[in-house]
Amino acid sequence: MSPKEPIDVPSFAATQLALLDQELQSEIQETSSLISNHSPTGLQRAGLAITNLTISSQRTGLGGKTVLELSPDSATSSTGELPEHGIRTGDIVLVAEQPAGSAKKREVKELERKGARGVVTKVQRAAVNVALDEGKDEVVFAGRVWMVKLADEVTYRRMNQTMEKLQKMGEAEYSSFIRVLFGLSSPSPVPQNLTTSDEVGNIEWIDPTLNDSQKDAIRFALASREVALIHGPPGTGKTHTLIELILQMIKREQRILVCGPSNISVDNIVERLSPHKIPILRLGHPARLLPSVLNHSLDVLTQTSEAGAIVKDVRAEMDAKQASIKKTKSGKERKAIYTDLKELRKEYRERERRCVSNLVGGSKVVLATLHGAGGFQLRNEQFDVVIIDEASQALEAQCWVPLLSAKKVVCAGDHLQLPPTIKSLNSKVKAKSKGGDDNALPVIRGMTLETTLFDRLLALHGPSIKRMLTTQYRMHEKIMRFPSDELYDSELIAADAVKARLLKDLEYDVENNEDTTEPVIFIDTQGGDFPERNEDDDKENPKKGSLHGESKSNEMEAALVRLHVKQLVEAGVRPEDIAVVTPYNAQLAALASLKEKFPGIELGSVDGFQGREKEAVIVSLVRSNPDGEVGFLGEKRRLNVAMTRPKRSLTVIGDSETVKRGSKFLKKWMEFLEENADLRYPDIAEVNRE
Ligand SMILES: Nc1ncnc2c1ncn2[C@@H]1O[C@H](COP(=O)(O)OP(=O)(O)OP(=O)(O)O)[C@@H](O)[C@H]1O
């Protein structure tokens, strides 16, 4: 099917459901194979678990859920602090008794039976809080426990519900908004000359420093009836533009729901809206919000408002009951307490709901993650516009959570940077045939989860529904050149304030030398002396599920990275202003010693560094083999992210001979670097000494 053709909505939803199911299965499979094949300690090392914990307290948290506080067991921790781990707020985890002799491996099913699932609500140096799933408050743990990260099925449940709703809708129920989003109608035309059009009027800008492309995008978004895309290449002030757009919409008395795929993307907007003193409401669990955003959080507001006080009383009663369980000896008494708790929990939710609906109903701007917009708080709420930031990093099904009842959407993003990570990419959509259903809807062939709403709308309606921001405020002109020419039709302009900034001009003392006066350096390792290494942990048993995936590393290249970092630091550049990014996790592991030497430095995967920036960025390409295999590097959106993170200095380290053979884009990039960068060839003897 051509991307320009109208889409059959039920088939679209059916395809999404099938794809989402595959994705969830991949995620579950991956987690179970990791858990059953690695010891708790091994999983902890890989950032997926925390071992040797004890339950330090138990109380009632939001929504009446039981919250466990887990701290390091004093028998194993002398500092009282948790070991290094990768568990984050919002992760779905399983808490279970730790098997004696921690090397023993467990099946996930068995763990689930004995343990309790929950959501991490707080991560501190000395404790982690987990809100247990309902019905799990009766689990009693004896002795030492551990927690391990699981696949996030909750997120899928919400997307599935949304897609099922869309699937069941009759055509007569489609709003003109839905019709446009599936190409059943064209978007209402937007006047050609927006500066003078009545529709948008003469705008009084709140921020007078907006550049022309930003102003144009705002006018366009205000004038569009159903859909507007704001394309923001790296550093072009996408969020800056959205803030003005929101303020202008408020002036026009519109009610707005602002969403993003992650909590951080939403908080970023709340923080920037805050100084404008407009009433805003942030939905989401307080433990997952930035402290600076808490004042606008629904949960904090429910507690500080009058109605909130009544809710609090019930909570106190529940806590007291919860605490009394410990003292009871007989099972009968305990059972009675659990029955009371159940009742109280119901009442608590009821009161909470009333209090919440008053607060939400009175708010002009509500902010939530896409997933969070599906909560009970927004049921039956109407908004004039839904704004989605970082829309090119969200799954389309996720976007539909707030969109199902919307009238208009403004999506901001950059489809030329990385889309959301998909685990089941290579599996084809199988016609949905659960239970041998002959009436299963036809799936749309060729559709993948990687196609975001942003991509799809652009392909469906063409560039007329989009405006691009063109002035970038991050990179030196020379760093910007290649991505601008190859990906953004040469339209990017470096703002005056940044276009000639070098490391030597940093506000602190930096030496003036060849490393600090060159915005783009290319250290070419061609010649075969810097071979890559395959990091497939366990070749004998590939099914086992490696903790690093099928990753690659390049030890010699890592040595070159270390040398370059050393030189920069010796020239006076602060480690905090330097980042090393690479597409391969195994290469990150090979570079780990840098962090010990220079604690301030940041090491990150390219994918994890999207949205970030640093004064100096070193990109380690890793791939070097006689076959010209480039794997991950073949994705130009990944390279775009890698090369657009630095402000003043980009150093690329890689084997031009191998990389050139990967794709047309890579060939052009290597040629660009050969011609325009400060080209260097490494001194093998020096690298060997490193
Ligand atoms: N019109 C402007 N004049 C001066 N500086 C601006 C302007 N617009 C944006 N900036 C600056 O550019 C930087 C990037 O802006 P912002 O954080 O809004 O970008 P973003 O688009 O959200 O980020 P990214 O481009 O990385 O996605 C910020 O430092 C911001 O202050």
Side-chain angles (χ1 to χ4, degrees), residues 209-211 214 233-240 272 473-474:
T209 69
L210 290 164
N211 67 51
Q214 293 171 329
T236 51
K238 204 164 36 71
T239 315
H240 206 80
R272 301 217 217 165
Y473 298 88
R474 174 182 299 157

Side-chain angles (χ1 to χ4, degrees), residues 34 409 550:
L34 285 175
V409 64
E550 268 187 37

Side-chain angles (χ1 to χ4, degrees), residues 497 501-511 572-574 576-577 614-615 647-648:
R501 283 190 311 194
L502 295 166
L503 286 176
K504 74 166 176 57
D505 309 321
L506 276 164
E507 63 277 14
Y508 53 88
D509 213 9
V510 175
E511 236 176 74
V573 181
R574 291 181 185 148
E576 299 82 283
D577 287 331
K614 276 280 167 181
E615 301 293 352
K647 295 188 192 176
R648 300 167 193 251

Side-chain angles (χ1 to χ4, degrees), residues 269-290:
I269 298 182
V270 177
E271 278 190 318
R272 301 217 217 165
L273 275 177
S274 241
H276 294 280
K277 304 275 171 258
I278 42 161
I280 52 180
L281 185 66
R282 166 70 160 104
L283 300 186
H285 198 296
R288 297 182 199 173
L289 311 185
L290 290 180

Side-chain angles (χ1 to χ4, degrees), residues 447-653:
M447 195 163 107
T448 71
L449 285 185
E450 228 197 16
T451 310
T452 62
L453 174 70
F454 197 101
D455 290 317
R456 195 176 63 72
L457 289 177
L458 197 56
L460 183 67
H461 295 299
S464 68
I465 59 162
K466 173 191 95 166
R467 288 295 182 273
M468 182 163 106
L469 310 179
T470 52
T471 304
Q472 64 84 17
Y473 298 88
R474 174 182 299 157
M475 297 163 270
H476 185 285
E477 213 280 328
K478 213 166 161 184
I479 300 176
M480 173 201 85
R481 190 76 274 139
F482 183 78
S484 175
D485 287 351
E486 289 307 315
L487 297 165
Y488 302 105
D489 296 332
S490 303
E491 282 192 61
L492 293 190
I493 303 159
D496 285 343
V498 306
K499 69 177 183 202
R501 283 190 311 194
L502 295 166
L503 286 176
K504 74 166 176 57
D505 309 321
L506 276 164
E507 63 277 14
Y508 53 88
D509 213 9
V510 175
E511 236 176 74
N512 186 335
N513 68 22
E514 57 174 10
D515 294 325
T516 60
T517 51
E518 259 307 326
V520 186
I521 298 171
F522 179 36
I523 307 179
D524 190 350
T525 64
Q526 64 166 291
D529 291 327
F530 291 75
E532 68 186 40
R533 211 181 74 153
N534 207 338
E535 283 289 321
D536 209 358
D537 278 0
D538 191 346
K539 286 209 181 72
E540 260 112 74
N541 188 3
K543 282 222 179 93
K544 191 169 146 176
S546 137
L547 289 168
H548 278 310
E550 268 187 37
S551 203
K552 310 269 176 214
S553 67
N554 190 325
E555 194 38 62
M556 293 283 278
E557 197 174 293
L560 273 179
V561 173
R562 286 194 287 271
L563 270 175
H564 194 68
V565 170
K566 204 158 85 187
Q567 281 164 7
L568 289 179
V569 174
E570 277 168 8
V573 181
R574 291 181 185 148
E576 299 82 283
D577 287 331
I578 306 173
V580 181
V581 298
T582 174
Y584 292 98
N585 283 335
Q587 182 70 347
L588 282 181
L591 286 163
S593 65
L594 264 178
K595 192 88 187 146
E596 283 158 31
K597 203 161 173 198
F598 306 110
I601 200 169
E602 271 201 69
L603 309 178
S605 67
V606 176
D607 299 44
F609 220 72
Q610 179 145 309
R612 306 278 318 281
E613 58 180 25
K614 276 280 167 181
E615 301 293 352
V617 176
I618 302 167
V619 181
S620 169
L621 296 178
V622 178
R623 302 314 300 258
S624 178
N625 55 64
D627 308 320
E629 291 281 344
V630 296
F632 262 12
L633 295 181
E635 170 57 84
K636 61 181 167 191
R637 293 174 292 188
R638 180 166 288 111
L639 289 169
N640 185 26
V641 172
M643 67 179 85
T644 55
R645 299 307 99 198
K647 295 188 192 176
R648 300 167 193 251
S649 162
L650 166 68
T651 303
V652 180
I653 308 183

